Amino acid sequence: MINASVKSNEGGACRSLGLVLALAMLAAPAIAQNGPVRLGVLTDMSSLYADNGGQGSVVAAQMAVDDFKGRVLGRPIEIIAGDHQNKADIGAAIARRWLENDNVEAILDVPNSAVALAVQGITRAKKKLFLATGAATSRLTGDECSPTGIHWTYDTYALSQGATKAISRLGAKSWFFLSADYSLGAQLEADSRKVIDATGGKVLGAVKHPINTPDFSSFLLQAQASKADVIALADAGGDFINAVKQAGEFGVTRTQKLAGLIVFIADIHSLGLQSAQGLMLSSAFYWDFNDETRAWSKRFIEKTKKVPTMIHAGTYGAVMHYLKAVEAAGTLDGPTVAAKMRELPVNDFMTRDGKIRQDGRLVRDMYLFRVKSPEESKYQFDYYQLLATIPGEEAFRPMEDGGCPLVKKS
C-alpha cells in the first residue's frame, strides 16, 4: 500500500508539474507580446570611446523614446544598456543574451568596429535590427552587409573622403599613417590611401599602435622621421587625444600637419582649442549648425552637461526612424521593419531627405570643419567653422563598389 500510495502521489506530482510547465510555455509568448519593446544600447561606458558614445547614447535614445510618447504598437518602449568594453567576445555575448533571453528587438550604437562586425553577424542570423550609430567601418555596408543592418551616422569611407581630399587640395603631397591596430584603423587607412592615390599623393610609411595605448612616443618618432607633410591619425577617442597631445609635446606639429580621420567634438573639448586649433575634420553633425540642432542640443546638454557628438545625434535619429517604421509596418518583425526603414525618407534635425540604400547605408550630407582658435571662439562649445558641405552621394561609397551581396547586379 505504501508503495502504491507513493506511486500515485508521484504520478499526481508529475501531472501537476507538467500542467505548470505547459501553462508557463503558453504564458511566455503572451508576456513577450504584451511586454515592453526593448532597444539595447551597446556601447563603451568606461574607456576611450565613452565620451563619444557611452551614457550620452543612452540619453539620446531615451530622448527619442520620450519624443515618440513612450509607446509603439500599444506597448511601452524600454531602453537597456550594456558595456562591450571594446572586446568583440564580450559585445557578442551581450548581444546574444539580449536577443535570445531578454526580448531585445534592436541593438544600437556599438562604437567599436570589431565589436560592430560581430554584432552584425549575430543580428543577421537572428533577423533582428542592428542600427550602427557609433561604428565606423565601411564593411558594415560592404562584404559584411545585412538585410537587418542599417549603418546610420558616418563611415570610414565618408570620413576619409572629407578630410583627406580637403588636405590634399591644400597642397599636402606625402603622408604617414598612425593607425589603431584593429578593424577601425585598418579600414580608415585603406579608404584614405585610395583618396591619396587618386589625388597624386604618396604614402611614405605607416605604423600600427595598440588600442588604448598611453604611450605614442615610438610611433610619433617614426612618423617624424618620415618627414611626411601630413601624419594621418587613423584612430579615435582617447587614442586620438593622446596622439595629438604627445605630438605637440614632441614638437611634431612644428614641421608636420596632423590630420584626424575620425574626430568627435568631445575630443576637441578634451584637447582644448589651444591644442586642436586649425585641425580639419569631417563630421555628420555639429550642434551649432542651425536653430533645430541648437534646440535639440540644448536639451541634451541640460541632461548630460556635455556637448553632443554625431553619435549621440545619430542614435536619437535612428531610434526615432526605427519607431516610425515599426508603427508604419504594424509589426516588430526584423526584416519587415528594416524594409520599411529603407522605404521611408529620413528627416530630423540632423538629416534632410536621407535615404537608406539597399546595402543599409544611410546617405546624408557630410560636412568639413576647421577647429577655431581660442580667440575665434565666442561662447561655450563654439569650436567649429564650416568649410564645406559634402553632398551625400559624393561623401559615401557608391553602392556598387562595396561588394555587398544584397546589391542586385544590373
Side-chain angles (χ1 to χ4, degrees):
M1 293 293 294
I2 294 174
N3 289 339
S5 175
V6 169
K7 287 180 181 179
S8 176
N9 288 339
E10 284 177 347
C14 287
R15 286 192 295 273
S16 297
L17 179 59
L19 181 60
V20 169
L21 289 173
L23 290 171
M25 291 174 68
L26 287 171
I31 292 170
Q33 290 171 11
N34 296 318
V37 175
R38 290 199 177 101
L39 310 181
V41 178
L42 184 57
T43 190
D44 177 357
M45 288 291 193
S46 56
S47 189
L48 72 169
Y49 305 136
D51 286 340
N52 298 331
Q55 186 61 33
S57 290
V58 180
V59 170
Q62 188 62 55
M63 287 172 66
V65 169
D66 293 344
D67 289 349
F68 203 77
K69 308 305 181 188
R71 300 181 73 85
V72 67
L73 302 182
R75 295 165 57 181
I77 308 162
E78 182 180 334
I79 299 295
I80 65 174
D83 185 353
H84 59 50
Q85 301 176 44
N86 292 296
K87 296 177 181 177
D89 57 341
I90 291 176
I94 294 171
R96 286 189 185 280
R97 186 182 74 242
W98 280 356
L99 300 180
E100 293 173 0
N101 302 329
D102 298 337
N103 298 316
V104 168
E105 299 294 341
I107 295 177
L108 298 110
D109 196 5
V110 197
N112 179 297
S113 290
V115 181
L117 289 168
V119 171
Q120 178 103 312
I122 294 166
T123 52
R124 185 195 298 116
K126 299 291 184 183
K127 297 183 178 180
K128 296 292 186 179
L129 268 293
F130 176 33
L131 310 179
T133 57
T137 177
S138 56
R139 290 185 64 196
L140 289 170
T141 53
D143 62 317
E144 288 289 341
C145 69
S146 165
T148 55
I150 309 291
H151 203 175
W152 192 269
T153 310
Y154 58 93
D155 63 25
T156 50
Y157 183 95
L159 294 172
S160 61
Q161 285 285 306
T164 313
K165 271 187 178 177
I167 294 168
S168 295
R169 286 168 181 162
L170 292 176
K173 298 296 183 184
S174 58
W175 298 70
F176 187 97
F177 280 93
L178 188 57
S179 305
D181 191 13
Y182 78 111
S183 50
L184 168 69
Q187 199 66 54
L188 267 176
E189 183 177 329
D191 286 338
S192 297
R193 280 176 177 266
K194 293 175 184 175
V195 178
I196 293 166
D197 289 343
T199 54
K202 291 184 178 179
V203 177
L204 301 184
V207 64
K208 298 184 184 302
H209 67 79
I211 187 172
N212 213 10
T213 184
D215 185 6
F216 281 84
S217 56
S218 64
F219 311 118
L220 287 167
L221 288 172
Q222 291 180 62
Q224 194 173 35
S226 76
K227 301 190 185 308
D229 296 334
V230 182
I231 301 172
L233 302 177
D235 52 18
D239 284 336
F240 168 79
I241 292 168
N242 285 335
V244 172
K245 285 181 177 178
Q246 290 176 41
E249 292 166 4
F250 278 93
V252 172
T253 51
R254 286 199 292 267
T255 56
Q256 293 167 292
K257 291 185 177 69
L258 291 182
L261 299 181
I262 176 168
V263 183
F264 297 89
I265 196 166
D267 304 331
I268 303 303
H269 183 72
S270 294
L271 281 167
L273 294 183
Q274 190 64 45
S275 297
Q277 60 183 314
L279 186 73
M280 285 189 294
L281 58 97
S282 185
S283 181
F285 172 76
Y286 179 43
W287 76 270
D288 201 14
F289 196 72
N290 57 40
D291 288 343
E292 281 188 277
T293 60
R294 283 188 284 272
W296 183 85
S297 298
K298 180 181 178 182
R299 293 169 55 204
F300 181 90
I301 293 167
E302 286 173 351
K303 292 175 181 294
T304 65
K305 311 306 178 190
K306 293 182 178 181
V307 61
T309 69
M310 58 179 163
I311 292 179
H312 300 145
T315 298
Y316 176 97
V319 170
M320 185 62 73
H321 192 68
Y322 168 78
L323 294 174
K324 288 177 181 177
V326 168
E327 196 88 332
T331 179
L332 290 168
D333 176 69
T336 304
V337 174
K340 183 60 70 173
M341 290 183 74
R342 285 169 167 83
E343 178 185 322
L344 297 174
V346 179
N347 281 293
D348 56 34
F349 66 89
M350 179 184 182
T351 307
R352 284 287 172 268
D353 298 319
K355 177 68 178 175
I356 300 171
R357 301 187 311 203
Q358 188 179 357
D359 62 356
R361 175 69 258 167
L362 170 58
V363 177
R364 64 143 64 77
D365 291 349
M366 296 286 290
Y367 306 99
L368 184 69
F369 296 103
R370 180 185 65 83
V371 178
K372 292 182 176 181
S373 67
E375 294 73 30
E376 291 174 301
S377 179
K378 303 303 181 186
Y379 42 86
Q380 187 182 36
F381 306 135
D382 177 24
Y383 293 160
Y384 291 173
Q385 176 192 355
L386 178 66
L387 298 180
T389 297
I390 308 167
E393 295 298 333
E394 178 185 331
F396 292 98
R397 179 180 60 203
M399 185 165 62
E400 58 272 16
D401 295 345
C404 170
L406 300 175
V407 176
K408 296 175 182 176
K409 305 298 182 183
S410 58

